[in-house]
Structures are given as C-alpha cells and as structure tokens.
Amino acid sequence: MFNKILIANRGEIALRVLRACKELGIETVAVHSTADANAMHVRLADESVCIGPPPARDSYLNIPSLLAACEITGADAVHPGYGFLSENARFADILSAHNITFIGPTAEHIRIMGDKIEAKATAKRLGIPVVPGSDGAVTTDEDAHRIAADIGYPVLVKAAAGGGGRGMRVALNEEEMSMALSSARSEAKNAFGDDSVYIEKYLLKPRHIEVQVLGDGQGNAIHLGERDCSLQRRHQKVWEEALSPALNQESRDKIGKIVADAMAELNYAGVGTIEFLYEDGEFYFIEMNTRLQVEHPVTEMITGIDLVNEQIKVASGAALQIRQSDVTFNGHAIECRINAENPATFAPSPGKISYWHPPGGLGVRVDSGVYQGYNIPPHYDSLIGKLIVHGRTRVECMMRLRRCLDEFVVDGIQSTIPLFRHLVDNQDIANGMYDIHWLEKWLATEPFEA
Ligand code: ADP
C-alpha cells in the first residue's frame, strides 16, 4: 500500500479523495494554486504545496510543478481526480518514469480510449454495441456523402479528438452534409489541432446511460450498475441518478455483463465508465472515461462500495476482492450538481459565500469543498458542491430531495439550487420520462426568475 498520496486536483473531488486516503491510513499531500491557498482540501491535508499562479495551465496542469511537489514531499502515488490531468496519458507515463504510481489505468488504455475512433473500434471488437456509422475516419467528402446515405439521415459528424461537446455537427439531410463536414472539421482543427472526423447515426430521443466498471488489471472486472445522466444542458450533466428509471433488471444484467467481460478481456485496471446512448431498448456506445466521474457517489450510495478506496487498492497492486455476485443495488440515489451560477442564465457567479447551510439527515450526502466565508475564485469550473440523496425507492428519494433542497441555504452568490427546486416538482421528472433533449426544451419553454 502507498505511504503518501499527492492529490493533483482541487475543490470537492480533492476532498473526496482525501477522505478515502485518511480512512486507509495514507498520508495526503494537497497541491494548490495561489488562488486556492485557503481551500478546504489544503486545510485538511497533512501537507500542502503551492504549485503556481491561478490559471490551471500554470498550476493544476503544470506537470513539472506537480513532479517537484512529489519530489519534495516524497509522495509515492498521485490521484488525479477528474478533469485536469486525469486522462492525460503523458502524465501517467512521466509519473511511472519517476517511480510514482498514477492512480488510474495504464497510459496505453488512456490513449486508446482518448481517441474516439480507436475507442469505438476497440469497443466493437470487445463485443460492446456501438452507434452505426463510418468505419473510422472519413477522408473525402464523397466518402462522407456515401456513408451518410448508407446509414440514413439524420447523421452526426464528430471529431475524432472531440471532447466537451465540441467538433460535433448534425446533418439532417444531404444538403446539410457539406456544411456539417466543413464546420466540424474547422472547429476540431481549432480546438484539438486535429481535423479528423467520423460519422454516426444521429439518435433523436436517446437517454444517456453509463455503466460503472472496476477492474484490477489482473483479469478481473465487475460492473456496478448504471447511472442515468440524461438531464443535460449543452451536453453537460446536471442531474444524475442510479439506477436508471428506464432499465429493468434483465437489460441491466445484460449490458453490465457485456461491459464487465470486455473490461476483463482488456485487462483494465481501476475505475472506468462506459457511456451509452439508449433508445428503443438498444444501447449504443459513445465513449469511455478512464477515470472517476463527478457522479460516482450515486453508485456508491446504492452499492455501499467506496469507489476511491477500491481505486487506490487496485492501483497499489491488490487483486479485486469484490465479485460480481457481491454487488447488490439497494434503493435509489439522485445527485444534483450545485454550481455557482445564475440558475436561469447559467452565468458564473463567483464571490464570497456569506452563509452556507447544507442539508443533513438520513440518506443525505453533500460533497463540497466550500464553507461559510469562502471566496469562490473565478478561475475554475463553477461546481461548488454535489447534493446526493438516497431513498429506499425512487419516490422516497424524490421526497427527500425536495426536503433537502428546501433546507439548503447558500447566500452571497447565486447557485443552481432554485433550478432543482423546479425540476423536483416536475411531472416528467417524477415519472422518469426524459431524454437528453428534455432539459434544454424545458428551459426554453418554461423560463423562471432566479
Ligand atoms: P464529448 O466527448 O464531446 O462530450 P460524446 O461523444 O460523449 O462527446 O457526446 C456528448 C453528447 O452528445 C452525448 O451525451 C449526447 O447528448 C450527444 N451525442 C453524441 N453522439 C450522439 C449521437 N450519435 N446521436 C445523438 N446524440 C449524440
């Protein structure tokens, strides 16, 4: 087991990882930019190192600074959290060259899954169902038109190097195809320095359903059920739940087994998420995230398994102790992402939190790094916390969530809490009847005052 883990992240996830380390009796090193000197993860860690000025590229993404921090403190492993360097294969390689363990999968697996075309080909080879589309990149416009006609419109042109919803264009018919190709290519070139694109069938009313996996790199892999993350704004998840209201036990077992078997064959190590679009009873792979996800707590709430604890144990070389038959799903959990934003316009709202009263009670978990008097810096993501609620049934979970949202007080800044107060009372949400377009449509037709 490791002696000392450096947590290469900030905010709620740095704290989340720190808690797992403390429970395992492992010493912790926090790193921070000058803007985060007063952050909670810095206060609670055993040691802390300032790694640079506020912009992330000069601090949280600064590999030489992070290496120096490992050197100074003698950390023998690094947990990257999510975002920042968590899916950076080069960072994983550099750490290993310095005999420091990257808590995550191998650099090779990060690389394969980071390239969308290669990821899709790998998924297909491993028996995971994929969205119908081109076999790899399309090079000429003639090829693109022919493939799109074969698949049938509407189609989606996607950047191979894509991420964050960029480099994607829908073509509803043949006339729109040339335009979609050129704008996807130029956006991809600008954002990722790589203009290769591929084509997929565009699904009209899918849900986003993702399967959590855990492997030990020694041939063992299990799945921990799914999360439904269909409530999205601009391809960003807003509300996540487990299990999905759209699946039954049979479809869950089926897709879970396909994914777990695939990860065992790949010899995957650590936690990972296989993301699917789900429409008319069929699953279509879109991508794999080779890291811990923001929404991992909903899975922890229904399985009782601490994913970060498992991640650390596996990274230290331990074989997986949990078998698939040990995994049971208990009740229902929902997570709301609390952002420092205007809940109607989503404009960022950094600044000082003058009053902070999170809810509590049975089945309630608040993962957050903020506190009363904390000044939210303007340099980073607007996520300031996550409210995660568990109930024995989805109905009980929703009742508890409503109660928690009423109790939650955040003053001094604006937050997305009022948005969730509206959503929790919506009939479609109560019925679990929503797809990936639901929230955008609802926001466009039911504007509310913040
Ligand atoms: P990124 O890595 O840029 O986030 P993804 O491939 O994960 O891109 O897709 C992001 C979102 O775009 C999905 O959650 C879904 O809302 C939408 N999307 C992606 N592929 C398709 C598709 N074939 N049909 C319909 N919507 C899609």
Side-chain angles (χ1 to χ4, degrees):
M1 187 44 85
F2 307 116
N3 292 313
K4 201 184 266 189
I5 292 179
L6 182 139
I7 302 162
N9 217 301
R10 64 181 299 281
E12 69 87 18
I13 197 62
L15 213 55
R16 165 70 191 90
V17 173
L18 191 141
R19 287 178 176 141
C21 294
K22 294 212 175 217
E23 290 178 19
L24 281 163
I26 301 170
E27 283 185 56
T28 51
V29 180
V31 294
H32 64 91
S33 70
T34 49
D36 278 338
N38 293 321
M40 193 54 98
H41 74 279
V42 177
R43 295 187 183 190
L44 291 183
D46 297 305
E47 290 169 79
S48 65
V49 181
C50 180
I51 49 166
R57 64 174 180 280
D58 300 323
S59 48
Y60 298 102
L61 293 171
N62 184 339
I63 296 178
S65 287
L66 287 162
L67 271 182
C70 289
E71 201 82 1
I72 295 165
T73 56
D76 50 0
V78 170
H79 194 300
Y82 52 66
F84 295 134
L85 295 168
S86 61
E87 289 177 296
N88 187 311
R90 199 170 75 86
F91 183 50
D93 272 338
I94 292 173
L95 287 179
S96 114
H98 288 78
N99 281 324
I100 301 165
T101 305
F102 174 80
I103 301 179
T106 61
E108 177 63 12
H109 285 156
I110 298 175
R111 236 173 237 124
I112 292 172
M113 293 302 169
D115 178 306
K116 295 198 160 203
I117 291 176
E118 209 179 333
K120 203 172 165 185
T122 306
K124 206 169 166 179
R125 177 171 62 76
L126 294 169
I128 296 174
V130 301
V131 192
S134 58
D135 248 340
V138 287
T139 38
T140 67
D141 278 26
E142 293 77 61
D143 279 353
H145 279 93
R146 186 180 42 75
I147 292 163
D150 280 353
I151 307 167
Y153 287 95
V155 298
L156 189 60
V157 182
K158 294 173 93 168
R166 282 176 303 171
M168 269 196 258
R169 288 289 181 283
V170 181
L172 294 177
N173 49 50
E174 201 180 337
E175 288 70 59
E176 291 185 9
M177 193 57 188
S178 303
M179 188 62 189
L181 275 170
S182 60
S183 52
R185 278 206 185 104
S186 67
E187 189 171 306
K189 181 86 192 160
N190 282 330
F192 314 110
D194 172 1
D195 69 355
S196 21
V197 295
Y198 62 106
I199 298 175
E200 264 179 10
K201 172 118 196 118
Y202 183 64
L203 302 170
L204 292 171
K205 49 176 178 57
R207 297 181 79 111
H208 174 117
I209 296 184
E210 55 185 38
V211 179
Q212 176 70 55
V213 292
L214 174 60
D216 62 7
Q218 304 179 33
N220 306 303
I222 58 171
H223 76 88
L224 298 171
E226 80 281 5
R227 296 181 285 260
D228 195 318
C229 314
S230 302
L231 286 173
Q232 302 181 356
R233 179 179 166 270
R234 299 198 177 157
H235 302 306
Q236 297 293 315
K237 297 161 188 168
V238 169
W239 157 307
E240 302 101 344
E241 48 185 307
L243 298 161
S244 169
L247 295 195
N248 58 28
Q249 196 56 42
E250 194 189 336
S251 47
R252 170 170 307 124
D253 287 344
K254 191 168 160 214
I255 194 69
K257 183 167 176 5
I258 290 174
V259 165
D261 288 350
M263 290 305 115
E265 189 174 332
L266 201 60
N267 216 7
Y268 186 78
V271 300
T273 299
I274 318 288
E275 297 192 335
F276 294 97
L277 294 177
Y278 177 77
E279 188 174 88
D280 297 331
E282 301 290 336
F283 286 92
Y284 302 99
F285 171 86
I286 44 173
E287 67 170 341
M288 175 170 184
N289 291 319
T290 52
R291 55 168 168 85
L292 192 68
Q293 304 264 105
V294 175
E295 59 273 20
H296 77 277
V298 290
T299 299
E300 297 186 324
M301 296 294 263
I302 61 161
T303 60
I305 294 169
D306 181 328
L307 284 167
V308 181
N309 175 299
E310 293 302 327
Q311 206 182 8
I312 294 171
K313 286 192 296 200
V314 162
S316 77
L320 204 56
Q321 296 298 310
I322 312 164
R323 286 178 306 260
Q324 192 64 57
S325 55
D326 299 329
V327 180
T328 51
F329 305 115
N330 167 28
H332 195 88
I334 297 175
E335 172 180 283
C336 297
R337 295 194 189 194
I338 315 290
N339 290 345
E341 288 172 356
N342 175 303
T345 65
F346 299 97
S349 176
K352 188 168 176 169
I353 298 181
S354 57
Y355 190 76
W356 171 256
H357 176 81
L362 178 66
V364 181
R365 167 172 172 183
V366 177
D367 277 21
S368 174
V370 308
Y371 51 88
Q372 196 156 312
Y374 175 74
N375 216 327
I376 301 163
H379 314 282
Y380 311 104
D381 191 274
S382 59
L383 183 82
I384 54 165
K386 306 182 305 204
L387 168 62
I388 307 112
V389 172
H390 180 261
R392 285 170 299 181
T393 61
R394 188 167 186 273
V395 171
E396 187 179 274
C397 187
M398 293 279 281
M399 297 284 283
R400 184 163 286 153
L401 178 58
R402 183 176 295 111
R403 187 271 290 171
C404 287
L405 289 164
D406 284 345
E407 220 174 288
F408 214 143
V409 185
V410 184
D411 283 343
I413 55 143
Q414 291 187 297
S415 85
T416 45
I417 293 172
L419 167 69
F420 295 113
R421 291 196 183 120
H422 282 79
L423 291 178
V424 79
D425 282 332
N426 182 281
Q427 203 51 50
D428 287 346
I429 305 288
N431 296 336
M433 299 289 284
Y434 54 83
D435 61 29
I436 61 168
H437 305 299
W438 188 94
L439 184 60
E440 299 258 7
K441 282 189 206 148
W442 181 82
L443 286 167
T445 53
E446 308 228 0
F448 64 93
E449 294 291 312

